[in-house]
Amino acid sequence: MKKISFCLLIIVFATNSFSQNNDTIQTVSNFKRHSIYAELLGNSIFYSVNYDYLFRIHKDNIKLAVGAGIGYFPLTTFVGGGPEKRRYTYFYITPEVNFLFGKKKHYFETGTSLMTVIVNDKYVEFNPSGRVGYRYQPQKRGFLFRIAYTPTFRMGWLGYCWFGGSFGYVF
């Protein structure tokens, strides 16, 4: 539980450090900045519920999205094909930073994430992943859609190479 609390504290600190206005990073005016969405596959491997916040970096065509997601996945496997079962509980947190390039509501999205996996409250694994894809996000409230290639690196080798999709709401 201490590990989960520590990870959540890091996410809150990272999000707050980006929220201060200065000359280079500003909140996006006339653009809805909050997004909440569900992601299937992608950076979280199975599924996750995510939130992100947008900042304007250059005019209205380059933005920075900072956010995080959480997920939970119980798994039961058979040992050696026999009757003995093992239960695993995966809890994962996916802090993510993405750059959005585009105008109006169509964006090329690229970024990185660090999937933190906690297995049975004992074992913690950190898996960095990337994102290259498309993001549809209206300037006003409405439906959000993303699809991306999200390779995940696991202990020095390419662990998972697949696509992920997200859908949600902008407010």
Side-chain angles (χ1 to χ4, degrees):
M1 195 64 181
K2 289 180 183 179
K3 294 174 187 175
I4 295 170
S5 300
F6 178 71
C7 291
L8 290 174
L9 182 65
I10 289 173
I11 292 167
V12 169
F13 175 74
T15 305
N16 286 336
S17 66
F18 280 110
S19 66
Q20 299 174 8
N21 287 341
N22 60 31
D23 293 338
T24 57
I25 297 178
Q26 302 170 354
T27 57
V28 183
S29 60
N30 298 325
F31 191 86
K32 296 303 178 185
R33 299 176 294 266
H34 304 276
S35 303
I36 188 163
Y37 53 91
E39 182 168 27
L40 303 174
L41 300 177
N43 289 341
S44 61
I45 309 249
F46 304 110
Y47 70 92
S48 64
V49 177
N50 301 272
Y51 166 82
D52 69 22
Y53 188 85
L54 288 178
F55 300 92
R56 181 179 64 202
I57 293 182
H58 178 59
K59 297 185 182 178
D60 281 333
N61 57 352
I62 301 176
K63 296 174 182 64
L64 175 70
V66 177
I70 59 171
Y72 170 80
F73 188 76
L75 178 67
T76 302
T77 61
F78 290 98
V79 178
E84 183 183 345
K85 295 181 183 179
R86 285 195 185 150
R87 293 182 183 261
Y88 297 95
T89 302
Y90 295 92
F91 176 76
Y92 42 92
I93 302 168
T94 55
E96 189 171 12
V97 176
N98 293 308
F99 288 96
L100 283 67
F101 302 94
K103 292 183 179 180
K104 306 257 180 189
K105 53 189 170 184
H106 302 282
Y107 296 94
F108 170 73
E109 183 175 32
T110 184
T112 186
S113 176
L114 181 63
M115 181 176 62
T116 305
V117 182
I118 302 165
V119 182
N120 293 342
D121 291 332
K122 297 177 185 174
Y123 177 72
V124 178
E125 185 176 300
F126 299 98
N127 300 313
S129 64
R131 173 178 296 277
V132 176
Y134 168 77
R135 180 174 181 146
Y136 172 83
Q137 179 166 340
Q139 291 185 349
K140 300 192 180 211
R141 295 179 182 179
F143 178 74
L144 164 77
F145 172 76
R146 303 181 335 159
I147 188 165
Y149 172 65
T150 57
T152 299
F153 299 90
R154 208 168 165 215
M155 296 186 198
W157 58 278
L158 192 58
Y160 309 101
C161 292
W162 58 35
F163 287 84
S166 305
F167 57 92
Y169 188 72
V170 177
F171 58 99

